[in-house]
Amino acid sequence: MERVEAELFTDGGNDAVVRLPGRRFPGVLIQGDSLHILRSDLAEVVEVCGRGDLAEARDSVSLLLTGFDALLTRYEDALQQHEIPRPY
């Protein structure tokens, strides 16, 4: 394990925006439990698609997309507040 200092651009919650040494742009740190939840939600979409339940799959994907949109907005807001251009 290596200890490094990172720049923290948001509070240290479940989806903190941080920049590691040597990186030009910050990234988003997702806690392990939150990552597991995202994976489980995506696995559910695969399962319902396999059953052919497109309505349920659409609902599940819509919820996932809403969560990712919120995460992206948090990231973009942090960049804007610190006058960092978007990497895309």
Side-chain angles (χ1 to χ4, degrees):
M1 173 174 52
E2 179 182 353
R3 292 189 181 268
V4 298
E5 287 190 31
E7 295 174 277
L8 182 63
F9 293 92
T10 60
D11 61 53
N14 285 336
D15 50 7
V17 177
V18 299
R19 181 166 47 197
L20 295 174
R23 301 299 302 199
R24 181 172 177 203
F25 294 101
V28 178
L29 173 66
I30 299 175
Q31 295 296 316
D33 59 335
S34 298
L35 181 61
H36 183 264
I37 291 167
L38 286 171
R39 193 255 176 234
S40 296
D41 290 348
L42 192 54
E44 178 184 333
V45 172
V46 171
E47 181 184 323
V48 297
C49 284
R51 292 193 317 252
D53 191 345
L54 297 182
E56 187 175 345
R58 188 178 313 111
D59 290 344
S60 295
V61 168
S62 292
L63 289 173
L64 275 168
L65 183 58
T66 298
F68 275 103
D69 284 344
L71 189 59
L72 185 59
T73 297
R74 179 170 164 84
Y75 177 75
E76 291 174 344
D77 288 348
L79 293 181
Q80 183 177 14
Q81 289 173 5
H82 293 90
E83 299 178 353
I84 299 172
R86 293 180 189 172
Y88 47 85

